Amino acid sequence: MELKRVVVTGLGAVTPIGNDVPTFWDNLLKGVSGATRITYFDPTLYKSAIACEVKNFEVEKYFDRKEARKLDRFVHYAVAAAQEAIQDSGLYLEEEDKNRIGVVLGVGVGGVGYFQEAVAENTLNEADGPRYSPFFVPKMIADMSTGMISIRYGLAGPNYVCTAACASSTIALSDAFNLIRLGKANVMVTGGSEAAVTKAGMGGFAALHALSTRNDSPETASRPFSASRDGFVLGEGSGILILEELEHAKARGAKIYAELAGTGLTADAYHMTASHPEGIGAVRAMQEALDDAGLKPEDVDYINTHGTSTPVGDVSEVKAILTLFGEHAYKLSIDSTKSMTGHLLGAAGAIEAVATVLAVKNDVIPPTINHDPEDKDENIDYNLDFTFGKSKQRTVRAAITNNFGFGGHNASALFKKY
């Protein structure tokens, strides 16, 4: 069968550096860091006391007080970003067949904050028996994000959540893409959401030695591709993209940001938390995205890397890029927007897809911040263009965004100019 073409017609974002797409994009290009000392709780006794929190989020703009209390922060963020994306798309939902509009998001850990609070409260009150709220389960489960978006807008198409650690939302993007290509839907609301800046989230990732402990300088703690990197900075938020079948978008006169042309999904089959040191799964994921799009390595101008600022992950991804792209790797622009947003876990791929689409649309590459030219890792080839320090204007014909998750999950998505 002939596969349908898929384009991006709407974007939404709630991030540590902006609670809407224009602010997020402006701060990315300016190189603004979203990292601060944690404010949600007293982090004094935690190894890592810093995070990229969403700031000044006004939940009452999206929910009344009673409804907001029934939902975890990750659902608040998802609904807010979806509202912006749907409005941005110009879709007039009352004239659409809502049975052919679905919602597929990536969520890594879901309502971990509420889960932690409810269990702690009931442990303290064990002598009186369990007193869990009737909202304990719906407030905790990851798929409440897609459920609430579909309920709010009456979207009755495919509806579910993908959970694959830090690759979750890129895999969700791939699923949404294929549902449209196969004719199962006209429009998909896709992306991801996460709100794991909690005591349990910080404690758990710190125990894995995954987090930066640069507590005295939060804004410089996320430093991908630098020798002194010591782990990622945990972030939170949501990114949403409206994917649409091309002819459907053209028929309603929609603006088109870019075309989603291919995706690639692989597994390292190697280690519980570490990426393969040679990046073999990442190579295959990027190659699959290229093959899916019918493009060659030399057609790509930009890679938004997973680039978490971890010692092993950054090196393996650079090796993967050099293996696949060869000499063309030195003509690519490469960056890590996590240097500014931190690592949003299951939502990382969502906000990075938004950034990648905007790079393709606007021909500009956001920077990788916090790199000192003297701070060089002998295992990284600095002849590559990591877009250190400031954004860069250049033509972006096609771009790949990468995300890799605990468990060995690899996901790549390729966007190209429409």
Side-chain angles (χ1 to χ4, degrees):
M1 65 178 292
E2 183 178 349
L3 296 175
K4 298 177 184 297
R5 292 172 66 185
V6 179
V7 293
V8 181
T9 59
L11 299 173
V14 174
T15 78
I17 58 171
N19 296 340
D20 55 61
V21 170
T23 307
F24 166 58
W25 181 238
D26 184 54
N27 283 330
L28 274 184
L29 297 186
K30 289 177 179 175
V32 173
S33 171
T36 60
R37 183 175 174 83
I38 291 169
T39 65
Y40 290 149
F41 59 90
D42 180 2
T44 301
L45 298 180
Y46 286 71
K47 292 179 183 177
S48 179
I50 58 177
C52 288
E53 298 174 340
V54 168
K55 301 158 190 72
N56 304 313
F57 180 74
E58 299 177 75
V59 69
E60 63 274 9
K61 288 173 60 175
Y62 309 98
F63 300 92
D64 64 43
R65 188 176 301 176
K66 184 177 180 181
E67 187 179 22
R69 286 200 303 266
K70 298 176 184 176
L71 301 166
D72 191 85
R73 284 204 319 272
F74 83 98
V75 179
H76 298 164
Y77 299 155
V79 170
Q83 177 174 304
E84 182 185 17
I86 291 169
Q87 289 174 347
D88 182 47
S89 73
L91 280 163
Y92 185 57
L93 293 176
E94 298 313 310
E95 293 183 353
E96 296 290 335
D97 180 355
K98 294 183 183 180
N99 293 327
R100 293 188 56 78
I101 303 179
V103 189
V104 177
L105 301 184
V107 179
V109 296
V112 63
Y114 178 67
F115 181 86
Q116 159 203 301
E117 292 168 8
V119 171
E121 182 180 349
N122 275 275
T123 300
L124 290 172
N125 297 322
E126 269 188 338
D128 299 324
R131 294 182 179 179
Y132 285 92
S133 162
F135 296 106
F136 173 69
V137 171
K139 194 168 180 177
M140 172 190 69
I141 54 179
D143 63 295
M144 197 52 59
S145 54
T146 59
M148 291 306 297
I149 293 169
S150 71
I151 291 167
R152 175 161 294 206
Y153 294 103
L155 309 181
N159 188 283
Y160 58 94
V161 157
C162 297
T163 297
C166 308
S168 297
S169 50
T170 306
I171 293 173
L173 185 76
S174 179
D175 276 12
F177 171 57
N178 285 318
L179 285 164
I180 295 173
R181 287 208 294 179
L182 293 169
K184 303 287 188 181
N186 296 331
V187 179
M188 292 296 297
V189 179
T190 189
S193 192
E194 203 79 275
V197 182
T198 66
K199 292 178 180 179
M202 294 301 299
F205 281 108
L208 285 170
H209 302 287
L211 299 180
S212 172
T213 56
R214 201 177 294 273
N215 295 326
D216 57 342
S217 182
E219 68 280 356
T220 68
S222 182
R223 46 182 64 197
F225 312 116
S226 293
S228 61
R229 66 193 184 278
D230 68 331
F232 64 79
V233 177
L234 188 60
E236 62 171 1
S238 177
I240 298 290
L241 299 87
I242 304 300
L243 299 186
E244 194 165 346
E245 192 271 319
L246 174 60
E247 297 305 319
H248 184 275
K250 287 165 62 177
R252 67 180 187 86
K255 72 175 182 297
I256 294 173
Y257 283 99
E259 180 172 357
L260 177 53
T263 62
L265 310 178
T266 68
D268 281 347
Y270 170 71
H271 189 271
M272 183 183 293
T273 57
S275 54
H276 191 283
E278 300 302 317
I280 58 171
V283 172
R284 289 174 47 238
M286 289 187 286
Q287 183 66 66
E288 283 192 9
L290 284 166
D291 292 345
D292 206 13
L295 297 181
K296 298 176 181 178
E298 54 266 32
D299 295 320
V300 176
D301 294 313
Y302 166 49
I303 298 178
N304 184 306
T305 66
H306 190 53
T308 56
S309 187
T310 55
V312 174
D314 288 9
V315 171
S316 66
E317 188 169 8
V318 169
K319 287 183 178 179
I321 290 168
L322 287 166
T323 297
L324 178 59
F325 288 91
E327 285 303 309
H328 183 66
Y330 299 98
K331 299 178 182 179
L332 293 167
S333 288
I334 299 166
D335 72 2
S336 171
T337 49
K338 287 186 181 73
S339 61
M340 295 168 278
T341 66
H343 189 354
L344 272 67
L345 307 180
I351 65 166
E352 288 155 20
V354 171
T356 304
V357 165
L358 290 170
V360 172
K361 177 68 174 175
N362 297 305
D363 288 323
V364 59
I365 312 298
T368 304
I369 67 169
N370 298 329
H371 178 71
D372 181 334
E374 302 302 315
D375 190 15
K376 292 185 176 180
D377 183 334
E378 64 181 11
N379 297 304
I380 290 177
D381 186 346
Y382 291 98
N383 292 310
L384 294 168
D385 177 13
F386 290 101
T387 325
F388 286 132
K390 62 180 181 179
S391 58
K392 177 180 181 178
Q393 291 285 155
R394 68 163 293 173
T395 300
V396 184
R397 300 166 297 163
I400 288 175
T401 180
N402 288 329
N403 290 102
F404 315 126
F406 284 178
H409 314 294
N410 306 300
S412 298
L414 188 151
F415 295 95
K416 68 178 185 180
K417 270 192 168 38
Y418 170 68

